[in-house]
Amino acid sequence: MKIDGPNKTTGPKGTSKASPKKTGDDAFGSMVDDTEETGAASSVSRPASIGALDALLALQEADDSTEGVKKARKRASDLLDQLDQVRVGLLTGELPKSTLQQLAQTISSHRDQVIDPKLAEILDEIDLRAQVELAKLG
């Protein structure tokens, strides 16, 4: 092969790409052709497997989406328990100040996480009622 300069190459003389010469048994040639095809197929499938591996790693690094829902349900359950204590306290006439303070603190601590406007309105009403009852006791 002769190299004349940058980007100028010439192949060996006397070879023709139009028709390769076939000599001897075709068994070896067919094995070579098979490996070239499978090599091409495996190189195509490799990026897909790397992409799948990247997707799995990204999923492992991502936060659990149900974790926020579980925390919200736990807060809601705690809030309902506190409201039940306030209801019982109002009915019996023995409402401790600490229960109202804890209720008001629970509502105000998670106010920024509420997205639903109706739920925010309900929490505002509960907070207002708790503040009114605290003022009555104080």
Side-chain angles (χ1 to χ4, degrees), residues 50-103:
I50 290 173
L53 179 63
D54 288 341
L56 285 174
L57 290 174
L59 283 173
Q60 287 178 347
E61 292 176 4
D63 292 334
D64 187 12
S65 63
T66 60
E67 186 175 328
V69 173
K70 288 178 185 177
K71 286 182 182 179
R73 285 187 180 160
K74 173 78 170 109
R75 282 193 308 266
S77 177
D78 291 343
L79 187 60
L80 287 173
D81 289 342
Q82 291 174 0
L83 286 171
D84 192 39
Q85 290 174 359
V86 169
R87 181 180 59 87
V88 169
L90 287 172
L91 291 173
T92 61
E94 299 173 2
L95 182 61
K97 189 175 185 179
S98 62
T99 303
L100 288 172
Q101 288 172 338
Q102 185 179 8
L103 176 65

Side-chain angles (χ1 to χ4, degrees), residues 17-54:
K17 294 182 182 180
S19 62
K21 294 180 183 177
K22 292 188 178 185
T23 59
D25 192 12
D26 286 338
F28 179 75
S30 66
M31 289 182 356
V32 171
D33 290 339
D34 288 344
T35 57
E36 287 177 0
E37 290 174 6
T38 58
S42 66
S43 66
V44 171
S45 66
R46 283 186 189 158
S49 65
I50 290 173
L53 179 63
D54 288 341

